[in-house]
Amino acid sequence: MEIEGKVAIVTGAGSGIGRATAIALAAEGASVVVADIDPEGGAATVGEITGADGSATFVHVDVTSPESITALFAEAEAAYGGVDIVYNNAGISSGEPHWPHASLERIAEETHINATGVMMGTREAVQAMRKRGGGVIVNTASTASEHQIAFDPMYSGTKRAVTSFTQSCAMLAETDNIRVNAVSPGMVRTAFQRKTGDGTRPASWLLPAVERNKDKILPPEAIAEAVLDFIRDDSKAGEVRTVDNG
């Protein structure tokens, strides 16, 4: 798909991978709906895009809420006339106390944001894209879904769900001209890691992994470029691409 002139929704676009992807899409000529639960972060992303003469608008969204997701797509269509690209990127990590001491409420929250939110976002994207004759959806999985993560099976499990869901959506390319793929990042240099702990540093159980992999941590722009590659390549459907430094 040619990105220029298209309309894109990016969830979790107030920081990190989502912000980098929203900026990259705008730089390619897309109109971008910056969707996030954090209005300050979302406004900052919009400011970066419009400051570079790009087109963007912020929409507050809670991806655990069906009503909020429905409203997001309605606002995108009202602002730009339709939706061609959706990047379901919003996600959280488990935080502390970690497994198996995490509360039932935290388990539910993480599942709703990381997995159910992706499924609901994809469902609404399909409905919107059918009006345009097709489109592209990209989801954020994680390399944590590919390994046994004893200290955080909650996060690993939610991201494995994203992988399986994405692969199972491959048939939409044939039935609706809608391609669904996923990026599976390794460690990325974002505020996401700090939010697992006290808000300024990674959680205690994550620190050793961060230290071991400090030379392999990717910039968020590397994931953004993988997302754009999926959008451009019309041959890709139901694929999950690992993006890390080995």
Side-chain angles (χ1 to χ4, degrees):
M1 174 185 284
E2 176 68 38
I3 295 173
E4 185 175 5
K6 299 300 190 294
V7 179
I9 293 175
V10 180
T11 67
S15 64
I17 294 170
R19 174 176 289 177
T21 305
I23 291 170
L25 285 166
E28 293 280 331
S31 296
V32 183
V33 177
V34 173
D36 205 290
I37 200 166
D38 172 18
E40 291 185 4
T45 301
V46 170
E48 287 200 41
I49 292 172
T50 57
D53 295 325
S55 175
T57 187
F58 171 71
V59 176
H60 180 272
V61 67
D62 175 357
V63 298
T64 70
S65 164
E67 295 79 11
S68 186
I69 290 179
T70 298
L72 166 64
F73 280 82
E75 291 192 49
E77 292 196 43
Y80 295 118
V83 178
D84 306 291
I85 298 163
V86 171
Y87 181 28
N88 291 308
N89 168 69
I92 62 169
S93 61
S94 298
E96 293 182 324
H98 63 284
W99 183 265
H101 306 293
S103 69
L104 295 179
E105 291 78 11
R106 182 61 173 182
I107 293 171
E109 179 186 30
E110 186 169 358
T111 302
H112 288 324
I113 293 174
N114 290 359
T116 311
V118 169
M119 296 176 192
M120 292 194 296
T122 299
R123 190 268 185 190
E124 289 302 290
V126 170
Q127 304 308 312
M129 290 173 181
R130 281 174 171 165
K131 302 174 185 177
R132 309 274 272 192
V136 181
I137 301 167
V138 183
N139 302 322
T140 296
S142 170
T143 55
S145 71
E146 304 166 14
H147 311 287
Q148 294 180 348
I149 310 295
F151 57 79
D152 197 358
M154 293 157 49
Y155 183 74
S156 179
T158 61
K159 291 302 186 179
R160 179 70 66 88
V162 172
T163 296
S164 180
F165 173 74
T166 297
Q167 292 168 334
S168 298
C169 286
M171 54 79 183
L172 287 169
E174 297 296 326
T175 60
D176 293 278
N177 193 34
I178 298 171
R179 297 185 293 106
V180 185
N181 297 288
V183 290
S184 184
M187 282 196 170
V188 182
R189 189 173 292 105
T190 72
F192 180 90
Q193 293 175 7
R194 295 195 300 274
K195 291 177 182 177
T196 66
D198 61 8
T200 62
R201 58 183 176 178
S204 60
W205 45 264
L206 186 59
L207 281 169
V210 173
E211 181 61 27
R212 283 196 310 272
N213 294 284
K214 62 183 179 182
D215 296 329
K216 300 179 181 179
I217 298 177
L218 294 165
E221 290 77 14
I223 315 304
E225 186 53 41
V227 173
L228 267 63
D229 283 346
F230 266 139
I231 295 168
R232 296 186 187 106
D233 191 340
D234 293 331
S235 71
K236 304 298 184 185
E239 293 197 12
V240 179
R241 181 177 302 171
T242 298
V243 186
D244 63 15
N245 277 335

